[in-house]
Amino acid sequence: MPDNQTIIDAVQAEIETDRDWLIGLTRDMVRIPSVNPKFEPNPAINREADVQALLEPILKQDGFRTEQWDALPGRPNLVGEWAGDESCSLILCGHIDVVPVGAMKDWSVDPFGGEITNGRLYGRGAVDMKGGVAACIAAARAIRKAGITLQGRLAIHSVVDEEAGGFGAMDAVKKGKLAKAVLVAEPTWGDVLPVEGGLEWARVTIRGRNAHSALRYNEIYPQRHDKDRLEPGVNAIEIAARFIAAVRQYELDRTRAKSHPLLPLGMNTINIGVMHGGTGLGEHGLPTVMTNPAIIPDVAVLDLDMKFLPDENSADYRRDFEAFVHHFAQTDAW
Ligand SMILES: [Zn+2]
């Protein structure tokens, strides 16, 4: 039996031979817009299913037994498997959804063109992570072409909905699609990150007291209050500004106090990703009026993306964060 290095060299050589094929596959994937519909619902660009339809026959050709199922309505996961020993089974995992392209004027290339300039392939998802999914498939293909039979079971998971919570991969787990080890081909600048932390999303809703902006002088220059006078308004957006400053401090304290030896410092950050301010809390959890600056707003809603370390868990993290919010509320004058 050849030694490990001989096997690695043989696979590497096949990868080199198929270089253009791999680039072509990445490009074909980039050219199918698969924007996560949770961010931008539009069937013309929510084409995750078409990416899976592109990949499935390729996996079949390489001898994978394939399966697709809807992880979310109309949004299929694709799994390919080579049978083998369970005790050394491995999943190569990647997601095929991408985030929206944002403002078109900021793009110098077609975001779904897959243009190659100066040795780089450009387009939404080229790096994160259609390139990674293509690399997983190319690795398996190279193994097959090198005539190597793996002892362990190898699976390729092409999943949907990573960018909005990871519900594609979670659904694969729920279906029992597990293995002894998983390699996720997310971009890390080539660093091997052997552990991964967790993620919590939270919404913080701040309530103030609404009033006409003409009454703001009551807030800034406190007036004498008797029973005939209206109470001054309380601007929820200003409370949110104080809250954001407090979150920043909380984040700094956490990253200083806690880190993981196998991860870079500062992996447990908090991103304030969305903010809505306005008047009247609607049933959908957002202000109903967000167009009138002449109102002292009584609602500010913040959506946070909070990362935690591998040795922490969701429940403890939430409890910590809720305690922080509670403390903020207790110490804020309003
Ligand atoms: Zn990604």
Side-chain angles (χ1 to χ4, degrees):
M1 191 181 150
D3 65 17
N4 278 349
Q5 195 55 51
T6 313
I7 293 172
I8 292 168
D9 290 346
V11 173
Q12 202 73 52
E14 290 297 341
I15 289 172
E16 281 307 319
T17 308
D18 275 350
R19 204 186 164 81
D20 290 342
W21 179 88
L22 169 56
I23 294 166
L25 175 59
T26 308
R27 175 184 239 181
D28 289 347
M29 290 173 76
V30 169
R31 284 178 172 169
I32 303 174
S34 50
V35 174
N36 192 312
K38 289 182 184 169
F39 300 123
E40 198 179 346
N42 172 1
I45 55 168
N46 305 145
R47 293 173 55 200
E48 288 162 316
D50 290 341
V51 179
Q52 307 296 36
L54 168 76
L55 300 181
E56 185 165 24
I58 296 171
L59 290 175
K60 278 202 162 98
Q61 247 172 32
D62 281 315
F64 282 94
R65 190 170 48 78
T66 62
E67 183 187 351
Q68 281 198 47
W69 76 92
D70 277 5
L72 294 156
R75 305 179 61 192
N77 278 343
L78 166 66
V79 162
E81 288 200 324
W82 281 343
D85 188 347
E86 203 50 47
S87 67
C88 50
S89 52
L90 173 69
I91 295 170
L92 305 179
C93 179
H95 66 87
I96 51 142
D97 60 317
V98 299
V99 293
V101 300
M104 277 306 296
K105 68 169 173 44
D106 295 334
W107 286 81
S108 58
V109 295
D110 174 358
F112 300 113
E115 188 179 303
I116 296 171
T117 311
N118 297 328
R120 284 173 187 262
L121 194 156
Y122 290 89
R124 176 57 89 226
V127 171
D128 185 9
M129 59 172 291
K130 289 174 171 175
V133 174
C136 291
I137 296 172
R141 179 180 156 101
I143 290 168
R144 178 185 61 78
K145 287 181 72 184
I148 292 157
T149 309
L150 297 178
Q151 190 194 327
R153 178 173 61 85
L154 179 73
I156 291 185
H157 287 194
S158 170
V159 297
V160 296
D161 201 46
E162 190 276 342
E163 300 289 5
F167 291 96
M170 269 192 265
D171 200 58
V173 170
K174 268 190 215 143
K175 271 186 77 102
K177 307 279 181 197
L178 302 167
K180 288 290 172 199
V182 182
L183 198 156
V184 180
E186 282 277 8
T188 57
W189 310 114
D191 294 339
V192 176
L193 302 179
V195 292
E196 174 67 298
L199 173 69
E200 274 294 302
W201 279 3
R203 168 165 286 179
V204 177
T205 305
I206 295 168
R207 303 303 308 271
R209 186 166 48 217
N210 135 276
H212 193 284
S213 63
L215 297 174
R216 182 165 166 82
Y217 73 97
N218 282 280
E219 267 177 85
I220 302 305
Y221 297 100
Q223 309 289 314
R224 185 175 54 79
H225 288 292
D226 53 43
K227 62 180 172 26
D228 297 327
R229 247 190 128 95
L230 285 172
E231 285 187 300
V234 176
N235 189 317
I237 291 176
E238 286 184 331
I239 304 172
R242 297 199 288 275
F243 181 74
I244 289 168
V247 168
R248 178 89 173 103
Q249 195 55 51
Y250 176 72
E251 177 188 44
L252 272 175
D253 290 346
R254 274 184 61 82
T255 55
R256 238 194 323 256
K258 288 182 177 179
S259 60
H260 191 279
L262 296 175
L263 287 173
L265 287 176
M267 290 302 272
N268 43 345
T269 49
I270 300 175
N271 184 52
I272 300 169
V274 181
M275 177 171 174
H276 292 92
T279 309
L281 185 61
E283 274 177 16
H284 47 21
L286 298 175
T288 49
V289 179
M290 287 188 279
T291 48
N292 191 342
I295 307 173
I296 294 171
D298 66 333
V299 180
V301 180
L302 301 162
D303 288 338
L304 287 72
D305 170 294
M306 312 187 294
K307 295 177 174 30
F308 58 89
L309 298 172
D311 49 5
E312 297 177 301
N313 66 55
S314 206
D316 290 349
Y317 187 88
R318 269 203 107 78
R319 207 172 25 248
D320 265 14
F321 181 72
E322 281 167 9
F324 156 74
V325 174
H326 183 64
H327 183 256
F328 172 83
Q330 280 187 319
T331 55
D332 190 80
W334 165 243

